[in-house]
Structure formats: C-alpha cells, structure tokens
C-alpha cells in the first residue's frame, strides 16, 4: 500500500447523509468510511449512489435540508463535522477545493477568466494585484493553456468546454489546496482534451503532493489513472480496492460494472447485465 | 448491396465571408443489415451527417441515397418509413406530458396507419417493456426505459434504417449494456441497418462492423472493428481514440496535445 508512512489528509468515518424530499426521507449516504493520503482516490458507482453527496458534504456545500452525521470527519487538525462556518470558509477554496462537472455554472460570465483566477488568490492572500495576476498567469500555464496571456483576458463564453474546465482547475488550485475533490471533471470533454486535463491533475498530485478525490463512472479511466478505488452502491462503499487490482475485484457489483463495459479488445455478442442482489444493501464491506 | 450511400457530402452554415463549412466531401457506404459507426471529437460533424440523411437540412451538396434511391432535399413521408433517428437525450426527446401510448400513436396517425393498438403492444414487447407501460408518462420511467420508448417510437413505422445519435451516453454502464444488447438483438431479428454516432470507441467497436473516424468535417480513417482487437492503429488520431478507450496514459496526453485544434486548447 502506498502512503502508509504519511498522515492521512482526510479521515471520514461512518458518514451518513439524508435529504427530505417531498415529505419522504432519502438516505443518500449510509455509513461511508475512508481516509485520503497524498494519492488519487476514485469514487465510482452508478448514478444516484451518493458519490457527489460525499464530495459536497466534505465542503459543506449540501442543501439546508440535508441531515448529516459522522463519527469522524477530520481534515488535518480540524473537525469538519463541528467546525464553525467561519473556519469552513477559510478551508473551502483554499485548503480544500471542488471542481464541478460543468464549468459553465461555476465561472462568472461577466468577468475575465484571468481576473477570476486572481480573485480566488486574493480572497485568501494579502498580496498586490500585480502579484495575484502573475500567479494566475502561471497557473494558466500549469494547466497547459497554450497562450495564457490571451486567455487571461477572455470571458467564459469565449472559451471552449475543455478550456473552461482547465480554467476552473486553475482557479481551484491557485490557493495550493491540500485536497481537491473533482466531480466528473472530464466526462464532458473530448478525448484529446480529457487526456490533457488528466495529465494536469496527475502532475499536481505528484509535484505538489495533494490528495485528489476523483469522482467518476468511467471504470477504465479510474483503473489506469487512480491509485485506489471506492465502489459505491446505494449510499455505501461496497468495495475498496487498489486501482491496479480492479480485475480481481471481489464484490459482484464491481465485477458486474466492469463486465458490462464494451471494449475494443473483447468482442462479445452480448454484454453481461448487472443482476442486483438485495443483500448488497446491507452486507458489511468485504463480505 | 449498399443501404446508405453518402457521396461527396458538403455542407456550410452561414453565407459569404461568414460561411463555415462543416462537412467536406464526406463519402461512405453502409451495407444492408450492417452497423456502421461514426466517431470523432465534438464539432467534427457527426450529428450533421445524420441530420442530412434524416432530411433536417436541405442545403447540402453531393449525393445521398437510401436503398439505391437518391434522396431529395425535402423530407417526405416515404423517407420517414425507411429511416428514423434516435437521439442521445431520452429526457428531451419525449414530451413530458404525453404518455408512452401518445408518443407511439403519433407517427402512426401521421402515416394513416389504423391498427395502432396492436402495433403498440407488439413494439413495446420488442423493446422489452411490459405492454401496460403504454399508460406511463416519461417521469415514471427510468433513463433506460425512456431510451427503450425512444427506440420503440423510432421502430413503430418499421423503418429499415436507424440513425442513432449517442443513444447510450446519458446512461449508466449497466443500463448502457441493456440498450446495446437490445440494439444488437433488434438488428438481428429485424435485419435493420444502423448508422451510429458516438464519442465512445468501446460502444462503436462493440456494436458496429466498421467505423469511420471524423475530424473537422472530414472522414480521416475507416477501420474494421475486428481489426482493432489488441491492435495499434496507424492513423495517429485513431490510435489516440483507441488507446484512450483502453486506459489513461501520459504519452497519449502529450500526443493528444499535438492533435488538438488550436482553438480548443
Ligand atoms: N438536494 C437533494 N434533495 C433530495 N435528494 C437528493 C438531493 N441531492 C441528492 N439527492 C439524492 O441522493 C442520492 C445520491 O445523489 P448523488 O448526487 O450523490 O449521486 P451520484 O452518485 O453523484 O450520482 P450521479 O452519478 O448521477 O452524479 C440520489 O438518490 C439523489 O436523488
Ligand atoms: N444549425 C447550425 N448552425 C450553424 N452551425 C452549426 C449548426 N449545426 C451545427 N453547426 C456546426 O457544425 C459543426 C459540426 O457540428 P455537429 O453537431 O455535427 O458536431 P458533432 O460531431 O455531432 O459534435 P458533438 O460530438 O459535440 O455532438 C460544429 O462546428 C457546429 O458548431
Ligand atoms: Mg454526481
Ligand atoms: Mg453530435
């Protein structure tokens, strides 16, 4: 196992999240535990399994209607479950950031992208505007924007989807966070751009030693990109496994997800379809 | 025998200096009963090719033929009975306040077909849905069930050809597997011809016999799916698509940077 020598950046134990929706209670997350080191940790699972809810809850970005309990949600010396909103504000966007699936909703449409990145830095650091601008430019370069000077002055509607996603990443990383939560950061991107965004994230983990939570439903990608994988089903982690070991996954749900992927290398008449077992809802992990 | 013939298809949007040519001499044939795939990056013109065939654009040049009959520029009822299109978004393509029955009877009414009720039962069975689903509204269906209804609606006029635009990209992998199996079964049973557009190479390679690779409005490569097994394609862009569908790799990311048009980077 890697990172065993390092203190975990984040420790979560028995996280539970429920929503009230139309009078009914939805248990979105039902007892999730994990720890994150300086590594790329994937959360995979079907739509509605609770992946985004876990990510948002860590940063307290959940709606008011959410009920949250955890026996532990430790980030360094801070208890995320009980800390004040003020403490949370000092963490959010500075020490821990979240990259959302669609950059269009997260960028301010009437502000030049370079200024937005610089603002993100200024919000947490007392430096001159010129220095913040310099850092923003350097960050655009770090996320492999080809002509950072030109892109700095563009508005969000003038950039392509792939560029917008990398601008978002630049904005989330300029404060040098210790933990980044990326929620399906590349699923809307073309293959070539997707590869470049991944390479950028990869560099940041290895060069800056940050911890990355990578939420995705692309098992082939996760297998080769991440170090470890948490497999979620109906609000629970049913399997936790080294990415390189996914082929030896034990849980029938993980096996089923992998088998149902069409592949260029394996030609099959029919794809196996997942047969869900009600026992998966309650079985302890590793059973 | 070719079922679909596309020859020197060109299309521009806009006029004069503003004109933006989005298809450049696109040529390919799809055999009777064949499944043919189109892959390529966003904006490369895949959907536009389907829309030309489906009669949604009329300002193209070149020639299009279905079953050896040249297509005119206007959409006529006869074309609808030969060819139907299925879209990516199973939410957007069904009217939220129409029941499954209404969605399925509409094309029948337009074409003056009378035994609607029997046909609806039979098509629902064919796409693997219980016949009482005819009384349901879209919000009462899962994503996979909605896509089944969309396929049923495309098939109810018994076309020979389905044009499929990203039919599974809004679905989970397990639901995607169900829809891909359904499409494979229907092709076999009904002898259908498919023209499938997707950005997922795994999906095209699974369902299609041959795949054309598009880049900026041109077909740049044509490959047999069977030849991709364990192979490293020669064309650099195809190679990147194939490698990226297998796994993430650092080297491919560098190659990708060189293959991306400047405005996307
Ligand atoms: N604000 C909310 N109010 C009520 N229910 C919610 C809310 N947000 C999420 N849920 C429910 O919680 C469950 C988990 O949702 P979540 O968005 O975490 O899933 P996900 O794994 O991220 O899925 P996807 O892959 O589709 O993004 C779902 O059943 C969802 O409907
Ligand atoms: N109605 C239109 N008017 C003007 N330009 C258009 C129109 N429809 C498409 N285009 C342009 O034509 C080009 C090809 O678009 P098309 O939708 O065919 O791409 P695609 O390959 O299907 O992409 P995607 O994978 O994103 O669906 C794009 O540059 C697009 O902006
Ligand atoms: Mg989500
Ligand atoms: Mg398209």
């Amino acid at each position: 196992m890697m990172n065993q020598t390092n203190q975990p950046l984040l420790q979560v134990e028995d996280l539970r999240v429920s929503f009230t929706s139309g009078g009914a209670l939805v248990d979105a997350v039902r007892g999730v535990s994990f720890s994150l080191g300086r590594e790329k940790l994937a959360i995979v699972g079907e739509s509605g399994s609770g992946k985004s809810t876990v990510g948002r809850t860590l940063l307290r970005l959940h709606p008011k209607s959410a009920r949250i309990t955890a026996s532990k949600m430790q980030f360094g010396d801070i208890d995320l479950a009980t800390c004040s909103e003020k403490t949370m504000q000092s963490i959010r966007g500075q020490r821990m950031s979240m990259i959302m699936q669609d950059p269009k909703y997260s960028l301010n449409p009437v502000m030049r992208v370079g200024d937005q990145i610089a603002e993100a830095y200024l919000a947490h650091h007392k430096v001159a505007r010129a220095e913040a601008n310099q850092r923003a430019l350097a960050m655009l370069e770090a996320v492999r924007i080809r002509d950072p000077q030109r892109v700095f002055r563009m508005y969000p509607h003038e950039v392509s989807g792939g560029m917008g996603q990398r601008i978002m990443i630049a904005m989330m990383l300029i404060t040098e966070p210790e933990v980044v939560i990326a929620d399906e950061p590349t699923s809307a991107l073309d293959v070539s751009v997707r590869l470049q965004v991944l390479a950028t994230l990869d560099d940041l983990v290895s060069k800056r030693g940050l911890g990355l939570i990578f939420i995705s439903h692309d098992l082939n990608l996760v297998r080769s990109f991440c170090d470890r994988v948490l497999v979620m089903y109906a609000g629970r982690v049913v399997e936790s496994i080294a990415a390189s070991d996914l082929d030896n996954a034990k849980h029938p749900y993980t096996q089923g997800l992998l088998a149902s992927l069409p592949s260029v290398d394996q030609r099959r008449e029919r794809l196996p379809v997942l047969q869900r077992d009600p026992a998966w809802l309650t079985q302890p992990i590793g059973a | 025998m070719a079922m679909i013939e596309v020859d020197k298809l060109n299309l521009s949007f806009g006029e004069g200096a503003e004109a933006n040519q989005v298809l450049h001499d696109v040529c390919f044939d799809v055999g009777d009963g064949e499944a043919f795939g189109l892959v390529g990056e966003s904006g490369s013109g895949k959907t536009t090719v389907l829309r030309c065939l489906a009669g949604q654009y009329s300002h193209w040049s070149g020639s299009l033929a279905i079953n050896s009959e040249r297509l005119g520029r206007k959409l006529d009822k006869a074309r609808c009975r030969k060819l139907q299109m299925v879209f990516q978004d199973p939410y957007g393509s069904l009217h939220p306040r129409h029941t499954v029955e209404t969605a399925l009877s509409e094309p029948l009414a337009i074409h003056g077909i009378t035994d609607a009720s029997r046909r609806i039962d039979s098509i629902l069975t064919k796409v693997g849905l219980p016949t009482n689903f005819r009384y349901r509204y879209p919000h009462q269906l899962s994503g996979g069930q909605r896509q089944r209804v969309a396929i049923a609606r495309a098939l109810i006029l018994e076309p020979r050809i389905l044009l499929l635009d990203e039919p599974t990209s809004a679905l989970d992998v397990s639901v995607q597997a169900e829809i891909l199996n359904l499409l494979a079964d229907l092709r076999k049973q009904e002898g259908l011809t498919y023209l499938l557009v997707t950005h997922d190479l795994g999906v095209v390679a699974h369902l299609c016999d041959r795949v054309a690779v598009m880049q900026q409005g041109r077909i740049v490569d044509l490959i047999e799916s069977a030849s991709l097994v364990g192979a490293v394609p020669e064309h650099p862009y195809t190679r990147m698509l194939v490698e990226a569908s297998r796994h993430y790799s650092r080297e491919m990311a560098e190659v990708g940077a060189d293959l991306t048009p400047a405005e996307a980077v």
Side-chain angles (χ1 to χ4, degrees):
Chain A
M1 285 294 291
M2 54 179 308
N3 299 307
Q4 244 171 16
T5 51
N6 293 341
Q7 262 304 88
L9 295 166
L10 192 65
Q11 276 177 291
V12 175
E13 267 168 41
D14 200 23
L15 174 65
R16 293 169 185 273
V17 185
S18 42
F19 297 103
T20 30
S21 153
L25 201 66
V26 181
D27 293 320
V29 176
R30 306 183 300 133
V32 162
S33 305
F34 65 93
S35 72
L36 173 75
R38 300 177 193 286
E39 60 179 327
K40 289 169 283 186
L41 175 68
I43 305 184
V44 302
E46 288 174 289
S47 185
S49 56
K51 306 181 295 294
S52 300
T53 304
V54 168
R56 283 197 293 263
T57 305
L58 291 172
L59 278 168
R60 223 180 266 176
L61 292 170
H62 45 72
K64 287 232 158 43
S65 72
R67 261 194 39 215
I68 294 153
T69 64
S71 58
K72 189 171 194 176
M73 250 209 286
Q74 195 72 27
F75 173 58
D77 51 359
I78 295 165
D79 181 356
L80 295 175
T82 56
C83 71
S84 68
E85 186 49 35
K86 195 154 172 264
T87 309
M88 199 67 215
Q89 273 170 15
S90 71
I91 296 172
R92 200 188 290 134
Q94 183 181 9
R95 297 182 58 196
M96 200 190 312
S97 307
M98 185 152 180
I99 301 165
M100 307 281 185
Q101 183 164 355
D102 193 340
K104 289 203 186 78
Y105 295 112
S106 322
L107 292 172
N108 180 346
V110 295
M111 194 171 170
R112 295 181 194 276
V113 298
D115 291 337
Q116 296 193 46
I117 301 170
E119 286 291 333
Y121 191 74
L122 286 169
H124 297 286
H125 297 89
K126 282 199 167 47
V127 297
R129 182 80 210 189
E131 185 187 335
N133 284 355
Q134 272 314 313
R135 284 184 181 264
L137 270 175
M139 206 60 232
L140 282 172
E141 226 172 290
V143 297
R144 295 162 173 240
I145 297 276
R146 263 189 208 160
D147 188 353
Q149 300 273 3
R150 183 177 60 92
V151 173
F152 188 99
R153 291 188 304 273
M154 290 166 95
Y155 287 96
H157 72 267
E158 298 172 314
V159 304
S160 70
M163 244 157 94
Q165 195 60 293
R166 275 175 293 164
I167 289 163
M168 264 299 294
I169 294 176
M171 206 159 106
M172 291 302 140
L173 295 176
I174 194 164
T175 56
E176 310 215 339
E178 293 142 70
V179 170
V180 170
I181 303 162
D183 193 354
E184 309 250 8
T186 60
S187 45
L189 303 178
D190 275 329
V191 175
S192 56
V193 181
R194 181 194 318 160
L195 287 167
Q196 292 168 66
V197 170
L198 291 169
T200 308
L201 287 171
D202 201 6
D203 282 351
L204 290 159
V205 174
S206 54
K207 293 198 185 123
R208 303 193 183 189
L210 56 80
L212 175 68
I213 297 181
F214 190 86
I215 298 173
S216 174
H217 59 250
D218 187 339
L219 283 139
N220 267 333
L221 170 58
V222 152
R223 187 209 300 262
S224 46
F225 181 70
C226 293
D227 302 309
R228 225 153 39 91
V229 184
L230 302 178
V231 185
M232 284 191 73
Y233 179 73
R236 298 168 75 241
V237 173
V238 295
E239 186 156 17
S240 163
I241 188 168
S244 57
D245 216 23
L246 258 181
D247 282 333
N248 305 315
K250 298 227 162 48
H251 200 283
Y253 174 66
T254 316
Q255 292 171 347
L257 288 181
L258 285 165
S260 62
L261 286 174
S263 132
V264 291
D265 293 316
Q266 199 187 358
R267 296 188 63 72
R268 293 169 291 183
E269 277 290 288
R270 301 178 63 80
L271 295 165
V273 170
L274 203 60
Q275 304 295 331
R276 288 173 181 76
D277 181 342
W280 297 350
L281 294 170
T282 50
Q283 251 164 18
I285 299 172
Chain B
M1 241 288 294
M3 190 56 145
I4 305 174
E5 289 165 88
V6 175
D7 193 30
K8 293 214 177 64
L9 180 63
N10 284 279
L11 182 79
S12 302
F13 289 105
E15 301 277 310
E18 300 278 279
N20 173 24
Q21 188 167 354
V22 298
L23 296 180
H24 299 262
D25 284 338
V26 171
C27 299
F28 64 91
D29 287 351
V30 184
D32 189 2
E34 185 182 3
F36 187 90
L38 278 181
V39 293
E41 62 198 63
S42 183
S44 60
K46 307 178 298 291
T47 299
T48 306
V49 171
L50 296 196
R51 287 185 188 275
C52 289
L53 281 164
Q56 294 181 8
Y57 295 135
S58 55
H59 59 294
W60 43 270
S61 69
S63 102
L64 298 175
I66 299 292
N67 209 3
S68 304
E69 264 177 65
R70 278 189 72 148
L71 292 183
R73 263 152 236 289
K74 288 265 163 57
L75 183 63
D76 49 36
K77 276 192 185 172
R79 184 170 342 174
C80 298
R81 302 197 63 164
K82 284 188 203 137
L83 137 179
Q84 282 283 325
M85 192 151 162
V86 177
F87 299 92
Q88 165 177 359
D89 183 7
Y91 303 82
S93 61
L94 296 174
H95 192 293
R97 282 202 289 274
H98 285 175
T99 60
V100 169
E101 178 170 68
T102 310
L104 296 178
S105 352
E106 203 178 48
L108 294 174
I110 291 171
H111 289 267
I113 296 164
T114 47
D115 60 342
S117 189
R118 190 194 57 78
R119 282 188 185 235
I120 289 171
D121 276 350
S122 127
I123 204 75
L124 284 173
T125 309
K126 245 179 219 166
V127 299
L129 290 175
T131 51
N132 61 8
F133 267 49
R134 57 159 67 200
Y135 306 115
R136 293 209 186 186
Y137 289 91
H139 73 266
Q140 296 169 318
L141 304 170
S142 72
Q145 289 167 344
R146 272 178 230 190
Q147 200 54 298
R148 283 174 194 266
V149 171
I151 292 169
R153 187 173 57 175
L155 287 178
I156 200 148
L157 292 172
E158 301 178 347
R160 306 271 316 267
I161 300 169
L162 280 191
L163 307 176
L164 301 149
D165 196 359
E166 306 268 9
T168 61
S169 45
L171 306 172
D172 270 330
V173 289
S174 57
V175 183
Q176 166 172 284
E178 291 172 23
I179 296 297
L180 290 177
N181 287 341
L182 171 68
L183 288 170
D185 293 346
L186 287 170
R187 174 157 81 109
K188 217 191 256 162
Q189 285 160 26
E190 317 285 320
L192 294 169
T193 302
Y194 290 163
L195 179 53
L196 169 81
V197 160
T198 155
H199 62 267
D200 186 330
L201 205 72
V203 169
V204 257
H206 174 76
L207 204 64
C208 300
D209 312 307
R210 291 187 302 150
V211 181
V213 181
M214 286 190 76
Q215 235 184 335
Q216 293 169 56
R218 292 187 168 82
I219 291 184
V220 295
D221 200 8
L222 183 67
I223 35 185
E224 306 253 343
S225 299
S227 77
L228 289 177
V229 178
V232 180
E234 243 165 64
H235 192 284
Y237 186 69
T238 312
R239 191 185 317 145
M240 184 189 68
L241 290 178
V242 171
E243 291 290 338
S245 84
R246 289 182 174 132
H247 52 84
Y248 163 79
S249 90
R250 198 54 211 234
E251 304 88 272
M252 268 303 135
E254 305 297 336
V255 174
D258 296 336
L259 291 174
T260 320
E263 66 271 20
V265 183

